[in-house]
Amino acid sequence: MSEGRMQRQLSIDMEVLYRQHSRRVLASLVRRVCDFDLAEESMHEAFAIALDRWPQQGLPDNPTAWLVTTGYHRAIDRLRRRARFEHASDPLLDELESAPVDVDQAIEDDELRLIFTCCHPELAFTSRLALTLREVCGLTTEEIARAFLLKPTTVAQRIVRAKARLRDRQVAFSAPESSELAERLDTVLHVIYLMFTEGYSTSSGEEATRAELSSEAIRLGRRLCELVADADCFGLLALMLLQESRRSARTDASGNLVLLADQNRQLWDSRLIEEGLDWLWQALEAGEIGAFTLQAAIAAEHARAGSSEQTRWDRISALYDVLVDVSPTPVVRLNRAVAISMHQGAEAGMALIDELLESGKLSDYHRLHVARAEMHYRLGQQARAVESWHRALLLTSHPREQELLQRRIDEISKG
Protein backbone atom coordinates (compact mmCIF):
# COMPACT_ATOMS: atom_id res chain seq x y z
CA MET A 1 0.00 0.00 0.00
CA SER A 2 1.39 3.43 -0.96
CA GLU A 3 2.19 6.02 1.72
CA GLY A 4 -0.53 8.35 0.38
CA ARG A 5 -3.14 5.61 0.49
CA MET A 6 -2.08 4.67 4.03
CA GLN A 7 -2.47 8.28 5.11
CA ARG A 8 -5.96 8.48 3.57
CA GLN A 9 -6.96 5.24 5.30
CA LEU A 10 -5.57 6.53 8.59
CA SER A 11 -7.59 9.74 8.16
CA ILE A 12 -10.76 7.74 7.60
CA ASP A 13 -10.08 5.53 10.63
CA MET A 14 -9.45 8.53 12.88
CA GLU A 15 -12.66 10.15 11.65
CA VAL A 16 -14.57 7.02 12.64
CA LEU A 17 -12.85 6.94 16.04
CA TYR A 18 -13.67 10.61 16.56
CA ARG A 19 -17.34 10.02 15.82
CA GLN A 20 -17.37 7.00 18.12
CA HIS A 21 -15.60 8.50 21.13
CA SER A 22 -15.67 12.30 21.02
CA ARG A 23 -19.06 12.77 22.71
CA ARG A 24 -18.13 10.66 25.74
CA VAL A 25 -14.65 12.17 25.94
CA LEU A 26 -16.00 15.72 25.88
CA ALA A 27 -18.70 14.91 28.46
CA SER A 28 -16.12 13.38 30.81
CA LEU A 29 -13.75 16.31 30.41
CA VAL A 30 -16.50 18.88 31.00
CA ARG A 31 -17.42 17.13 34.25
CA ARG A 32 -13.80 17.18 35.37
CA VAL A 33 -12.70 20.69 34.32
CA CYS A 34 -16.12 22.41 34.63
CA ASP A 35 -15.52 24.50 31.52
CA PHE A 36 -17.00 23.81 28.07
CA ASP A 37 -14.37 25.64 26.03
CA LEU A 38 -11.39 24.27 27.98
CA ALA A 39 -12.79 20.74 27.69
CA GLU A 40 -13.33 21.07 23.94
CA GLU A 41 -9.86 22.48 23.30
CA SER A 42 -8.26 19.75 25.42
CA MET A 43 -10.26 17.03 23.69
CA HIS A 44 -9.05 18.18 20.27
CA GLU A 45 -5.48 18.17 21.54
CA ALA A 46 -5.95 14.62 22.81
CA PHE A 47 -7.20 13.46 19.40
CA ALA A 48 -4.25 15.21 17.71
CA ILE A 49 -1.86 13.31 19.98
CA ALA A 50 -3.73 10.07 19.25
CA LEU A 51 -3.38 10.71 15.51
CA ASP A 52 0.39 10.93 16.01
CA ARG A 53 0.85 8.00 18.42
CA TRP A 54 -1.77 5.35 17.71
CA PRO A 55 -0.51 4.37 14.22
CA GLN A 56 2.88 3.46 15.78
CA GLN A 57 1.78 2.24 19.22
CA GLY A 58 -1.53 0.65 18.28
CA LEU A 59 -5.04 1.31 19.51
CA PRO A 60 -5.32 1.37 23.34
CA ASP A 61 -7.49 -1.23 25.05
CA ASN A 62 -9.81 1.57 26.16
CA PRO A 63 -9.56 4.45 23.65
CA THR A 64 -12.13 6.59 25.50
CA ALA A 65 -10.26 6.38 28.82
CA TRP A 66 -6.94 7.11 27.05
CA LEU A 67 -8.40 10.20 25.40
CA VAL A 68 -9.99 11.42 28.64
CA THR A 69 -6.73 11.01 30.57
CA THR A 70 -4.71 12.73 27.85
CA GLY A 71 -7.24 15.53 27.52
CA TYR A 72 -7.29 16.01 31.28
CA HIS A 73 -3.51 16.50 31.37
CA ARG A 74 -3.69 18.88 28.39
CA ALA A 75 -6.29 20.93 30.29
CA ILE A 76 -3.95 21.20 33.28
CA ASP A 77 -1.11 22.27 30.95
CA ARG A 78 -3.33 24.98 29.44
CA LEU A 79 -4.27 26.29 32.88
CA ARG A 80 -0.60 26.32 33.95
CA ARG A 81 0.35 28.37 30.89
CA ARG A 82 -2.51 30.75 31.55
CA ALA A 83 -1.49 31.17 35.20
CA ARG A 84 2.13 31.90 34.22
CA PHE A 85 1.05 34.43 31.61
CA GLU A 86 -1.35 36.21 33.98
CA HIS A 87 0.99 35.88 36.98
CA ALA A 88 -1.94 34.76 39.10
CA SER A 89 -3.03 31.58 40.83
CA ASP A 90 -6.01 29.66 39.47
CA PRO A 91 -8.30 27.85 41.95
CA LEU A 92 -9.40 25.44 39.21
CA LEU A 93 -5.79 24.55 38.44
CA ASP A 94 -5.10 23.87 42.11
CA GLU A 95 -8.15 21.64 42.29
CA LEU A 96 -7.30 19.67 39.14
CA GLU A 97 -3.67 19.15 40.13
CA SER A 98 -4.68 17.71 43.48
CA ALA A 99 -7.55 15.54 42.19
CA PRO A 100 -7.01 11.96 40.94
CA VAL A 101 -7.81 11.19 37.31
CA ASP A 102 -10.81 8.96 38.03
CA VAL A 103 -11.23 7.38 34.60
CA ASP A 104 -13.54 4.46 35.18
CA GLN A 105 -16.99 3.21 34.26
CA ALA A 106 -18.40 6.61 35.19
CA ILE A 107 -17.55 7.62 31.62
CA GLU A 108 -20.60 5.68 30.50
CA ASP A 109 -22.89 8.03 32.43
CA ASP A 110 -21.02 11.28 31.80
CA GLU A 111 -23.02 12.06 28.68
CA LEU A 112 -26.26 11.71 30.59
CA ARG A 113 -24.90 13.90 33.41
CA LEU A 114 -23.88 16.56 30.92
CA ILE A 115 -27.27 16.45 29.21
CA PHE A 116 -28.97 17.09 32.55
CA THR A 117 -26.52 19.93 33.23
CA CYS A 118 -27.18 21.56 29.85
CA CYS A 119 -30.91 21.21 30.50
CA HIS A 120 -30.70 23.25 33.71
CA PRO A 121 -33.83 25.33 34.42
CA GLU A 122 -31.62 28.44 34.57
CA LEU A 123 -31.66 28.30 30.77
CA ALA A 124 -34.54 28.93 28.39
CA PHE A 125 -35.98 25.79 26.80
CA THR A 126 -34.61 26.49 23.31
CA SER A 127 -31.20 27.38 24.75
CA ARG A 128 -31.10 24.09 26.64
CA LEU A 129 -31.78 22.17 23.44
CA ALA A 130 -29.26 24.12 21.37
CA LEU A 131 -26.48 23.87 23.97
CA THR A 132 -26.94 20.14 24.50
CA LEU A 133 -27.12 19.31 20.82
CA ARG A 134 -23.91 21.26 20.23
CA GLU A 135 -21.86 20.17 23.25
CA VAL A 136 -23.14 16.65 23.90
CA CYS A 137 -24.34 15.43 20.52
CA GLY A 138 -21.66 17.17 18.48
CA LEU A 139 -24.06 18.71 15.97
CA THR A 140 -22.88 21.80 14.12
CA THR A 141 -24.56 25.15 14.56
CA GLU A 142 -25.93 24.82 11.02
CA GLU A 143 -27.43 21.39 11.74
CA ILE A 144 -29.11 22.67 14.90
CA ALA A 145 -30.43 25.71 13.04
CA ARG A 146 -32.03 23.45 10.43
CA ALA A 147 -33.63 21.33 13.15
CA PHE A 148 -35.17 24.43 14.75
CA LEU A 149 -35.87 26.24 11.46
CA LEU A 150 -33.72 29.15 12.70
CA LYS A 151 -30.73 31.14 11.43
CA PRO A 152 -27.29 29.74 12.42
CA THR A 153 -26.31 33.10 13.91
CA THR A 154 -29.33 32.98 16.22
CA VAL A 155 -28.42 29.49 17.39
CA ALA A 156 -24.76 30.45 17.91
CA GLN A 157 -25.76 33.41 20.09
CA ARG A 158 -28.01 31.20 22.22
CA ILE A 159 -25.21 28.69 22.79
CA VAL A 160 -22.71 31.36 23.81
CA ARG A 161 -25.19 32.97 26.20
CA ALA A 162 -26.15 29.60 27.68
CA LYS A 163 -22.51 28.75 28.44
CA ALA A 164 -21.99 32.15 30.02
CA ARG A 165 -25.09 31.80 32.19
CA LEU A 166 -24.07 28.37 33.48
CA ARG A 167 -20.59 29.72 34.23
CA ASP A 168 -21.85 32.89 35.92
CA ARG A 169 -24.36 30.93 38.03
CA GLN A 170 -21.63 28.39 38.89
CA VAL A 171 -23.89 25.49 37.98
CA ALA A 172 -22.45 22.13 39.03
CA PHE A 173 -21.65 19.72 36.21
CA SER A 174 -23.40 16.76 37.81
CA ALA A 175 -26.64 14.82 37.73
CA PRO A 176 -29.52 16.62 39.50
CA GLU A 177 -31.00 15.49 42.77
CA SER A 178 -34.20 13.46 42.48
CA SER A 179 -36.23 16.50 43.52
CA GLU A 180 -34.83 18.44 40.52
CA LEU A 181 -35.18 15.61 38.04
CA ALA A 182 -38.75 16.24 36.91
CA GLU A 183 -38.22 19.84 35.81
CA ARG A 184 -35.35 18.82 33.50
CA LEU A 185 -36.67 15.51 32.22
CA ASP A 186 -38.84 16.87 29.41
CA THR A 187 -35.92 18.76 27.85
CA VAL A 188 -33.62 15.76 28.25
CA LEU A 189 -36.09 13.56 26.39
CA HIS A 190 -36.38 16.09 23.57
CA VAL A 191 -32.59 16.33 23.29
CA ILE A 192 -32.14 12.56 23.10
CA TYR A 193 -34.82 12.34 20.42
CA LEU A 194 -33.29 15.18 18.38
CA MET A 195 -29.96 13.35 18.68
CA PHE A 196 -31.63 10.19 17.40
CA THR A 197 -33.37 12.06 14.59
CA GLU A 198 -30.11 13.55 13.35
CA GLY A 199 -28.64 10.05 13.23
CA TYR A 200 -31.73 8.55 11.61
CA SER A 201 -32.04 11.25 8.94
CA THR A 202 -29.02 13.54 8.78
CA SER A 203 -29.45 17.21 7.97
CA SER A 204 -26.06 17.52 6.22
CA GLY A 205 -23.19 15.50 4.78
CA GLU A 206 -23.04 12.89 2.05
CA GLU A 207 -24.57 10.03 4.03
CA ALA A 208 -28.32 9.69 4.50
CA THR A 209 -27.95 8.42 8.07
CA ARG A 210 -25.46 8.38 10.97
CA ALA A 211 -25.89 5.04 12.68
CA GLU A 212 -23.51 5.78 15.55
CA LEU A 213 -25.52 8.85 16.56
CA SER A 214 -28.90 7.13 16.67
CA SER A 215 -27.34 4.10 18.41
CA GLU A 216 -25.92 6.38 21.09
CA ALA A 217 -29.33 8.05 21.54
CA ILE A 218 -30.90 4.63 22.04
CA ARG A 219 -28.18 3.72 24.57
CA LEU A 220 -28.89 6.92 26.50
CA GLY A 221 -32.62 6.22 26.28
CA ARG A 222 -32.15 2.75 27.74
CA ARG A 223 -29.98 4.15 30.53
CA LEU A 224 -32.56 6.80 31.30
CA CYS A 225 -35.29 4.17 31.55
CA GLU A 226 -33.15 2.33 34.11
CA LEU A 227 -32.78 5.49 36.18
CA VAL A 228 -36.29 6.95 35.80
CA ALA A 229 -39.42 4.78 35.68
CA ASP A 230 -41.39 7.31 33.66
CA ALA A 231 -44.01 6.78 30.94
CA ASP A 232 -42.46 9.40 28.66
CA CYS A 233 -39.03 7.71 28.95
CA PHE A 234 -40.57 4.39 27.97
CA GLY A 235 -42.46 6.01 25.11
CA LEU A 236 -39.35 7.70 23.74
CA LEU A 237 -37.34 4.48 23.82
CA ALA A 238 -40.19 2.64 22.10
CA LEU A 239 -40.36 5.30 19.39
CA MET A 240 -36.61 5.21 18.70
CA LEU A 241 -36.48 1.40 18.56
CA LEU A 242 -39.45 1.16 16.20
CA GLN A 243 -38.01 3.77 13.86
CA GLU A 244 -34.50 2.29 14.06
CA SER A 245 -35.91 -1.09 13.02
CA ARG A 246 -36.34 0.30 9.47
CA ARG A 247 -32.72 1.44 9.04
CA SER A 248 -31.58 -1.36 6.69
CA ALA A 249 -34.48 -0.68 4.33
CA ARG A 250 -34.19 3.12 4.28
CA THR A 251 -31.38 3.17 1.70
CA ASP A 252 -30.56 1.02 -1.30
CA ALA A 253 -27.21 -0.55 -2.18
CA SER A 254 -26.00 2.79 -3.57
CA GLY A 255 -26.97 4.72 -0.46
CA ASN A 256 -30.02 6.33 -2.05
CA LEU A 257 -33.01 7.04 0.18
CA VAL A 258 -36.02 4.72 -0.12
CA LEU A 259 -39.45 6.06 0.85
CA LEU A 260 -41.42 4.24 3.53
CA ALA A 261 -44.03 3.03 1.05
CA ASP A 262 -41.33 1.47 -1.16
CA GLN A 263 -39.24 -0.16 1.55
CA ASN A 264 -38.67 -3.92 1.66
CA ARG A 265 -40.26 -4.73 5.01
CA GLN A 266 -38.45 -8.06 5.12
CA LEU A 267 -35.37 -5.99 5.93
CA TRP A 268 -36.97 -4.43 8.99
CA ASP A 269 -35.40 -5.64 12.23
CA SER A 270 -38.00 -7.82 13.95
CA ARG A 271 -35.96 -7.89 17.17
CA LEU A 272 -36.06 -4.12 17.49
CA ILE A 273 -39.76 -4.07 16.61
CA GLU A 274 -40.53 -6.60 19.35
CA GLU A 275 -38.49 -4.66 21.90
CA GLY A 276 -40.11 -1.39 20.82
CA LEU A 277 -43.60 -2.84 21.20
CA ASP A 278 -42.70 -4.10 24.68
CA TRP A 279 -41.58 -0.62 25.76
CA LEU A 280 -44.70 0.89 24.19
CA TRP A 281 -46.85 -1.44 26.28
CA GLN A 282 -44.96 -0.40 29.41
CA ALA A 283 -45.47 3.26 28.50
CA LEU A 284 -49.20 2.75 28.06
CA GLU A 285 -49.42 0.96 31.40
CA ALA A 286 -47.25 3.50 33.26
CA GLY A 287 -49.61 6.45 33.27
CA GLU A 288 -50.50 9.58 31.32
CA ILE A 289 -49.94 9.19 27.59
CA GLY A 290 -47.57 11.85 26.26
CA ALA A 291 -46.34 12.91 22.83
CA PHE A 292 -43.54 10.33 22.57
CA THR A 293 -45.86 7.47 23.45
CA LEU A 294 -48.40 8.63 20.86
CA GLN A 295 -45.67 8.84 18.21
CA ALA A 296 -44.50 5.36 19.21
CA ALA A 297 -48.06 4.09 18.81
CA ILE A 298 -48.08 5.56 15.28
CA ALA A 299 -44.75 3.91 14.50
CA ALA A 300 -46.17 0.64 15.85
CA GLU A 301 -49.01 0.77 13.32
CA HIS A 302 -46.46 0.92 10.51
CA ALA A 303 -44.45 -1.90 12.11
CA ARG A 304 -47.51 -4.15 12.34
CA ALA A 305 -48.53 -3.64 8.71
CA GLY A 306 -47.30 -6.40 6.43
CA SER A 307 -47.21 -4.00 3.48
CA SER A 308 -47.80 -0.36 2.72
CA GLU A 309 -51.30 -1.20 1.46
CA GLN A 310 -52.18 -2.91 4.75
CA THR A 311 -51.33 0.16 6.86
CA ARG A 312 -54.24 1.15 9.12
CA TRP A 313 -54.36 4.84 8.21
CA ASP A 314 -57.66 5.18 10.08
CA ARG A 315 -55.88 4.33 13.33
CA ILE A 316 -52.90 6.52 12.48
CA SER A 317 -55.18 9.47 11.69
CA ALA A 318 -56.99 8.98 14.99
CA LEU A 319 -53.68 8.93 16.87
CA TYR A 320 -52.61 12.14 15.13
CA ASP A 321 -55.90 13.75 16.18
CA VAL A 322 -54.85 13.13 19.79
CA LEU A 323 -51.20 14.03 19.20
CA VAL A 324 -52.04 17.41 17.69
CA ASP A 325 -53.88 18.29 20.93
CA VAL A 326 -50.93 17.17 23.07
CA SER A 327 -48.23 18.69 20.84
CA PRO A 328 -49.76 21.21 18.38
CA THR A 329 -46.54 21.96 16.51
CA PRO A 330 -46.54 22.79 12.78
CA VAL A 331 -44.62 19.60 11.97
CA VAL A 332 -47.15 17.44 13.83
CA ARG A 333 -49.93 19.22 11.95
CA LEU A 334 -48.12 18.46 8.69
CA ASN A 335 -47.78 14.77 9.55
CA ARG A 336 -51.45 14.69 10.50
CA ALA A 337 -52.35 16.18 7.11
CA VAL A 338 -50.39 13.40 5.38
CA ALA A 339 -52.13 10.72 7.47
CA ILE A 340 -55.56 12.20 6.73
CA SER A 341 -54.74 12.32 3.02
CA MET A 342 -54.02 8.59 3.15
CA HIS A 343 -57.21 7.86 5.08
CA GLN A 344 -59.76 10.34 3.70
CA GLY A 345 -58.21 11.24 0.36
CA ALA A 346 -55.69 13.67 -1.10
CA GLU A 347 -58.17 16.55 -1.24
CA ALA A 348 -58.74 16.41 2.54
CA GLY A 349 -55.00 16.40 3.16
CA MET A 350 -54.39 19.21 0.66
CA ALA A 351 -56.84 21.48 2.47
CA LEU A 352 -54.82 21.06 5.69
CA ILE A 353 -51.54 21.60 3.83
CA ASP A 354 -52.89 24.86 2.37
CA GLU A 355 -53.82 26.03 5.87
CA LEU A 356 -50.25 25.47 6.99
CA LEU A 357 -48.90 27.34 3.98
CA GLU A 358 -51.20 30.28 4.66
CA SER A 359 -49.96 30.44 8.25
CA GLY A 360 -46.41 30.87 6.90
CA LYS A 361 -44.87 28.67 9.60
CA LEU A 362 -43.62 25.94 7.27
CA SER A 363 -43.44 27.76 3.95
CA ASP A 364 -39.67 27.12 3.76
CA TYR A 365 -39.83 23.56 5.08
CA HIS A 366 -39.04 21.25 2.19
CA ARG A 367 -40.98 18.27 3.55
CA LEU A 368 -44.23 20.27 3.40
CA HIS A 369 -43.69 20.80 -0.33
CA VAL A 370 -42.82 17.11 -0.78
CA ALA A 371 -46.12 16.17 0.87
CA ARG A 372 -47.97 18.72 -1.27
CA ALA A 373 -46.35 17.31 -4.41
CA GLU A 374 -47.44 13.76 -3.58
CA MET A 375 -51.03 14.94 -3.02
CA HIS A 376 -51.06 16.86 -6.32
CA TYR A 377 -49.76 13.74 -8.06
CA ARG A 378 -52.46 11.54 -6.54
CA LEU A 379 -55.06 14.06 -7.72
CA GLY A 380 -53.72 13.80 -11.27
CA GLN A 381 -52.23 17.30 -11.17
CA GLN A 382 -48.80 16.40 -12.52
CA ALA A 383 -47.65 19.92 -13.44
CA ARG A 384 -48.43 21.19 -9.93
CA ALA A 385 -46.74 18.12 -8.44
CA VAL A 386 -43.52 18.81 -10.35
CA GLU A 387 -43.70 22.47 -9.32
CA SER A 388 -43.92 21.49 -5.62
CA TRP A 389 -41.08 18.98 -5.97
CA HIS A 390 -38.94 21.69 -7.57
CA ARG A 391 -39.76 23.98 -4.65
CA ALA A 392 -38.72 21.25 -2.19
CA LEU A 393 -35.53 20.64 -4.17
CA LEU A 394 -34.53 24.28 -3.75
CA LEU A 395 -35.18 24.20 -0.01
CA THR A 396 -33.08 21.16 0.94
CA SER A 397 -29.29 21.12 0.89
CA HIS A 398 -28.87 17.42 1.66
CA PRO A 399 -27.48 15.65 -1.44
CA ARG A 400 -29.35 12.38 -0.79
CA GLU A 401 -32.69 14.16 -0.48
CA GLN A 402 -31.89 16.21 -3.57
CA GLU A 403 -31.18 13.01 -5.52
CA LEU A 404 -34.48 11.48 -4.36
CA LEU A 405 -36.48 14.55 -5.36
CA GLN A 406 -34.74 14.83 -8.72
CA ARG A 407 -35.47 11.15 -9.46
CA ARG A 408 -39.13 11.77 -8.64
CA ILE A 409 -39.25 14.81 -10.91
CA ASP A 410 -37.58 12.88 -13.75
CA GLU A 411 -39.99 9.94 -13.38
CA ILE A 412 -43.07 12.17 -13.58
CA SER A 413 -41.69 14.33 -16.38
CA LYS A 414 -40.91 11.28 -18.52
CA GLY A 415 -44.31 9.74 -17.74
Side-chain angles (χ1 to χ4, degrees):
M1 183 182 293
S2 68
E3 182 178 349
R5 186 176 177 184
M6 288 179 65
Q7 288 296 323
R8 287 195 298 274
Q9 184 63 47
L10 173 60
S11 176
I12 293 172
D13 290 344
M14 286 305 300
E15 181 180 350
V16 170
L17 288 166
Y18 183 86
R19 291 171 67 170
Q20 289 175 339
H21 300 286
S22 61
R23 290 182 302 277
R24 293 187 192 180
V25 173
L26 180 61
S28 294
L29 288 173
V30 169
R31 177 169 70 85
R32 287 164 173 80
V33 305
C34 301
D35 184 304
F36 283 105
D37 294 332
L38 177 60
E40 191 165 3
E41 292 165 355
S42 303
M43 178 193 70
H44 288 146
E45 283 193 53
F47 271 100
I49 294 170
L51 179 61
D52 180 60
R53 294 184 184 177
W54 288 359
Q56 287 77 36
Q57 299 177 2
L59 197 67
D61 292 336
N62 189 336
T64 305
W66 190 98
L67 289 162
V68 170
T69 302
T70 303
Y72 184 82
H73 290 305
R74 296 290 76 74
I76 291 176
D77 290 343
R78 279 179 170 271
L79 290 173
R80 285 172 177 163
R81 289 195 297 270
R82 185 191 303 172
R84 286 196 299 269
F85 179 77
E86 296 177 354
H87 302 289
S89 62
D90 189 327
L92 176 58
L93 175 60
D94 295 339
E95 181 180 341
L96 294 184
E97 287 181 325
S98 61
V101 187
D102 56 336
V103 178
D104 52 26
Q105 292 183 347
I107 288 176
E108 295 296 319
D109 287 337
D110 277 340
E111 275 185 281
L112 207 52
R113 290 191 187 96
L114 185 54
I115 289 175
F116 273 104
T117 299
C118 293
C119 293
H120 197 283
E122 282 285 343
L123 305 178
F125 181 78
T126 53
S127 295
R128 298 179 208 171
L129 292 179
L131 178 63
T132 314
L133 290 172
R134 178 69 187 92
E135 299 301 327
V136 182
C137 306
L139 271 62
T140 66
T141 303
E142 290 73 21
E143 289 169 341
I144 299 167
R146 278 191 285 270
F148 290 156
L149 306 180
L150 294 172
K151 294 179 180 179
T153 53
T154 302
V155 172
Q157 290 170 355
R158 289 180 181 178
I159 292 171
V160 170
R161 290 169 185 163
K163 287 181 181 179
R165 188 167 183 82
L166 290 178
R167 182 184 63 247
D168 295 343
R169 295 299 179 112
Q170 296 183 334
V171 171
F173 289 82
S174 59
E177 299 294 332
S178 57
S179 59
E180 302 173 321
L181 195 63
E183 61 183 337
R184 304 193 203 182
L185 185 59
D186 184 57
T187 313
V188 170
L189 294 174
H190 277 84
V191 163
I192 292 175
Y193 187 53
L194 284 171
M195 181 181 184
F196 171 82
T197 301
E198 181 61 27
Y200 186 73
S201 181
T202 59
S203 59
S204 63
E206 291 296 323
E207 299 301 320
T209 65
R210 290 176 60 184
E212 84 287 347
L213 202 56
S214 52
S215 296
E216 183 63 11
I218 290 173
R219 186 191 73 80
L220 291 171
R222 284 198 175 102
R223 183 63 180 139
L224 195 58
C225 287
E226 293 173 3
L227 298 173
V228 186
D230 182 89
D232 284 337
C233 296
F234 300 160
L236 172 61
L237 183 54
L239 173 60
M240 293 191 294
L241 290 167
L242 290 168
Q243 291 184 327
E244 182 69 7
S245 70
R246 308 173 198 159
R247 176 176 293 278
S248 297
R250 293 190 66 245
T251 55
D252 62 18
S254 301
N256 298 314
L257 284 168
V258 180
L259 296 174
L260 178 62
D262 301 325
Q263 289 176 15
N264 179 0
R265 300 189 178 213
Q266 297 300 314
L267 296 177
W268 288 5
D269 192 324
S270 59
R271 179 186 57 82
L272 291 180
I273 291 174
E274 183 178 354
E275 184 184 359
L277 293 175
D278 286 342
W279 282 109
L280 174 58
W281 182 251
Q282 290 187 57
L284 293 171
E285 284 192 321
E288 185 176 347
I289 298 175
F292 288 121
T293 300
L294 288 166
Q295 290 177 77
I298 291 168
E301 289 298 331
H302 289 293
R304 293 188 184 103
S307 65
S308 177
E309 293 74 22
Q310 294 174 334
T311 305
R312 291 294 303 269
W313 287 107
D314 56 335
R315 293 180 180 174
I316 292 175
S317 296
L319 287 166
Y320 269 118
D321 288 342
V322 180
L323 179 59
V324 80
D325 288 334
V326 174
S327 179
T329 67
V331 173
V332 169
R333 290 173 61 195
L334 170 61
N335 292 336
R336 176 174 175 266
V338 172
I340 287 176
S341 78
M342 299 301 293
H343 175 44
Q344 299 179 15
E347 287 185 354
M350 185 69 76
L352 296 174
I353 291 281
D354 288 342
E355 287 180 12
L356 280 170
L357 273 176
E358 289 173 9
S359 72
K361 293 180 179 178
L362 292 180
S363 57
D364 292 333
Y365 186 51
H366 74 280
R367 288 192 172 91
L368 179 143
H369 296 281
V370 171
R372 199 164 190 262
E374 292 292 344
M375 293 178 198
H376 277 308
Y377 178 70
R378 286 163 55 200
L379 291 169
Q381 302 165 350
Q382 293 190 359
R384 290 186 178 182
V386 170
E387 182 181 344
S388 291
W389 273 311
H390 272 299
R391 175 64 175 156
L393 187 60
L394 292 172
L395 289 171
T396 181
S397 59
H398 197 290
R400 293 300 183 182
E401 290 187 333
Q402 289 174 336
E403 291 169 3
L404 175 63
L405 292 169
Q406 189 60 58
R407 287 200 308 271
R408 197 75 173 107
I409 291 170
D410 293 342
E411 289 170 2
I412 301 305
S413 300
K414 291 177 183 177

